Amino acid sequence: MTIHASLPRRAVAELVGTAGLLVVVIGSGIQAAGLSRDAGVALVANSLASAIGLGLIITLFGPLSGAHLNPVVTLTSWWARRTGGEGLRGREALVYTAAQTAGAVGGAVLAEVMFGRAPGTFSTQIRSGGHLLVGEVVATAGLVLVIQGLERIGRSKLIPAAVAGYIAAAIWFTSSGSFANPAGTIGRAFSDSFTGIAPQSLPGFVAAQVVGGVLGLTLAALLYGSARPGAQEAPATLSTELPTGNTDLSTAGWVGFAGKRVIRPVDY
């Protein structure tokens, strides 16, 4: 039996997947801060939980929507289609982005409620300064490059683990903490917690993430060449039966940024 994922179904997958990601990121941050006053220990716990949760969400929702969970990934897919590759149409990209943003806000509110905190309270953590914006550019560019690079050298099966690993590392090596996701950044504004960001800091972070996405695409093209249609490993449909020639279920149904209508994910 083959499931053809309609746009509404894919949109729901993006909404639920992004909501789940924000629950993991914010919830683990609240839990870690409550259990330890050591910021380093809290960050270790938060980064590990975020990476593990991201990998699981990608595995679960990737076959349906590609588990973008991130408007930068979605817009990159749209751009691939405009430049002769295969990706999302404009309407699909808009629906994905709206679903991701709504899911991020919903996930943030759910995390707050789950820990007995007042839902809908805006974050007071101001994250300003040029060095933080540089960190966001680097974090987002690296994320895009990891995904694009692996896809273009034919190593798509490594993307789930690579994305999770990259996010875990980037939380530590970037000055900004690697938000690297416009929808996730907006969602974090609704949580006055360890992982939150004040609303007034949103424009700079989102702009830096868009710049980082463009930079990542440019670097991927320079290093690996342009993505070519038909080079992806996975079909646009999903079989509900176990594949006979490939037992790696973590990437079943995945394709890349420039792939078919089901596009690969990210984070982040």
Side-chain angles (χ1 to χ4, degrees):
M1 179 180 178
T2 299
I3 295 176
H4 299 274
S6 64
L7 180 57
R9 181 177 292 186
R10 285 182 280 145
V12 171
E14 287 295 303
L15 187 149
V16 175
T18 310
L21 177 61
L22 267 290
V23 169
V24 170
V25 172
I26 294 175
S28 64
I30 294 173
Q31 185 80 288
L35 293 175
S36 175
R37 295 183 180 180
D38 188 316
V41 172
L43 191 59
V44 168
N46 179 240
S47 60
L48 287 177
S50 298
I52 294 170
L54 176 60
L56 292 173
I57 290 168
I58 287 172
T59 302
L60 182 61
F61 294 103
L64 286 176
S65 68
H68 291 198
L69 317 175
N70 188 334
V72 169
V73 178
T74 295
L75 292 176
T76 305
S77 171
W78 169 78
W79 179 252
R81 187 180 184 90
R82 285 182 58 87
T83 54
E86 296 182 32
L88 294 178
R89 297 181 175 87
R91 175 171 172 268
E92 293 173 315
L94 288 174
V95 171
Y96 267 48
T97 300
Q100 291 156 0
T101 304
V105 174
V109 172
L110 176 58
E112 293 286 296
V113 171
M114 188 166 60
F115 282 90
R117 297 158 59 95
T121 301
F122 287 117
S123 175
T124 56
Q125 288 208 49
I126 297 176
R127 300 177 187 264
S128 61
H131 66 292
L132 296 182
L133 300 183
V134 171
E136 275 302 283
V137 171
V138 170
T140 311
L143 180 62
V144 171
L145 182 59
V146 165
I147 297 172
Q148 285 282 303
L150 288 173
E151 175 61 35
R152 296 184 191 203
I153 62 175
R155 299 292 182 88
S156 297
K157 293 179 181 179
L158 299 178
I159 290 173
V163 169
Y166 174 81
I167 290 299
I171 288 174
W172 280 91
F173 75 71
T174 61
S175 58
S176 63
S178 185
F179 283 44
N181 183 336
T185 303
I186 292 172
R188 293 201 204 188
F190 288 82
S191 174
D192 191 16
S193 65
F194 178 72
T195 58
I197 179 172
Q200 55 265 46
S201 300
L202 289 179
F205 264 57
V206 171
Q209 290 156 3
V210 173
V211 171
V214 173
L215 178 59
L217 268 180
T218 302
L219 288 173
L222 288 173
L223 292 169
Y224 304 106
S226 300
R228 294 184 298 275
Q232 288 70 35
E233 299 178 358
T237 57
L238 166 67
S239 173
T240 57
E241 300 179 357
L242 293 177
T244 57
N246 178 8
T247 57
D248 183 4
L249 301 184
S250 64
T251 54
W254 275 39
V255 294
F257 273 18
K260 302 182 192 293
R261 293 179 51 137
V262 179
I263 313 299
R264 71 164 166 242
V266 175
D267 145 325
Y268 109 339

